[in-house]
Amino acid sequence: GESVGLHLPTLSVQEGDNSIINCAYSNSASDYFIWYKQESGKGPQFIIDIRSNMDKRQGQRVTVLLNKTVKHLSLQIAATQPGDSAVYFCAENSKATDYKLSFGAGTTVTVRA
Amino acid sequence: NAGVTQTPKFRILKIGQSMTLQCTQDMNHNYMYWYRQDPGMGLKLIYYSVGAGITDKGEVPNGYNVSRSTTEDFPLRLELAAPSQTSVYFCASSGHQNTEAFFGQGTRLTVV
């Protein structure tokens, strides 16, 4: 079964607002958690990762938070833009499983103008 | 910079036919992967390889075979196509520890 799963399959956000996409995981031995973005008709694209010994990591307009106590991961997108409309996947990997990526089901984010 | 290249982009197969989905990468990555993505769903790992000459099964390997004779190429073989194999197939590659995987554009396969 899946080792990562998302809370909500869809999210509608007003342009300019912040987006929060959530993900739950079950594998306590995961080494990395990763967020990918998939635009329509394209392959997934890496956004940001976080090592399991970290709580927070920031990138350009994105922040990933990791709460190991409740096994929860979130991706925050600041000032959401129309180009952020896509499907977002959380993924995890671990040394124990050859670092192969295991993906959740995805959240479709739609940005309203 | 080609990255990961998949061919073909689209294919229609009849039940029982065979085909090979090609995947090549020019980034000298050790890790390569094949995923399938059904409509509205996430990516399921079919097979993966951590280096030339090494392949391993993923979550959904039945009905597929792979080979990894070179670092660059990782073809996926369907021997007896079934309607359940209708899907979009993605090949990906990454360096060690694999957090940033690079995906191809996908192959949309329909089995009728």
Side-chain angles (χ1 to χ4, degrees), chain A:
Chain A
E2 291 182 352
S3 58
V4 286
L6 286 164
H7 292 292
L8 291 174
T10 61
L11 179 67
S12 180
V13 182
Q14 185 69 38
E15 182 179 356
D17 287 352
N18 296 337
S19 303
I20 299 176
I21 307 166
N22 296 303
C23 182
Y25 66 92
S26 59
N27 184 6
S28 299
S30 297
D31 289 306
Y32 286 92
F33 298 92
I34 312 105
W35 284 98
Y36 280 81
K37 173 186 180 182
Q38 186 178 26
E39 297 175 355
S40 181
K42 296 184 178 180
Q45 184 176 16
F46 173 89
I47 302 173
I48 190 169
D49 63 6
I50 186 168
R51 193 166 181 146
S52 59
N53 61 358
M54 298 172 65
D55 298 320
K56 180 179 179 179
R57 189 170 186 209
Q58 288 183 292
Q60 187 175 9
R61 278 201 310 118
V62 295
T63 301
V64 57
L65 299 176
L66 178 61
N67 185 330
K68 293 179 283 294
T69 302
V70 295
K71 296 183 180 177
H72 182 268
L73 179 74
S74 69
L75 178 71
Q76 300 178 6
I77 304 173
T80 309
Q81 302 170 358
D84 295 326
S85 291
V87 180
Y88 290 81
F89 294 98
C90 60
E92 62 87 27
N93 70 7
S94 68
K95 182 179 180 180
T97 56
D98 285 334
Y99 290 109
K100 63 179 186 287
L101 283 168
S102 177
F103 284 84
T107 290
T108 300
V109 173
T110 303
V111 180
R112 306 189 307 272

Side-chain angles (χ1 to χ4, degrees), chain B residues 53-102:
Chain B
I54 306 169
T55 62
D56 279 293
K57 294 178 180 179
E59 301 171 74
V60 289
N62 291 344
Y64 308 95
N65 277 299
V66 293
S67 60
R68 185 89 184 275
S69 56
T70 67
T71 298
E72 294 79 17
D73 301 307
F74 191 43
L76 177 71
R77 178 82 177 162
L78 283 73
E79 289 295 349
L80 291 171
S84 61
Q85 294 177 305
T86 294
S87 190
V88 179
Y89 292 83
F90 288 101
C91 178
S93 75
S94 71
H96 182 58
Q97 295 189 353
N98 189 31
T99 58
E100 186 170 3
F102 293 83

Side-chain angles (χ1 to χ4, degrees), chain B residues 8-49:
Chain B
K9 288 185 169 56
F10 303 94
R11 184 72 186 267
I12 298 174
L13 278 181
K14 293 183 178 178
I15 294 172
Q17 285 186 320
S18 301
M19 78 164 293
T20 299
L21 282 66
Q22 303 291 345
C23 177
T24 187
Q25 53 94 7
D26 61 359
M27 297 171 282
N28 200 34
H29 284 162
N30 286 331
Y31 287 65
M32 294 190 75
Y33 304 80
W34 276 105
Y35 291 90
R36 62 175 285 173
Q37 185 175 33
D38 298 329
M41 303 295 287
L43 294 101
K44 299 289 187 184
L45 182 64
I46 305 172
Y47 271 95
Y48 69 104
S49 169

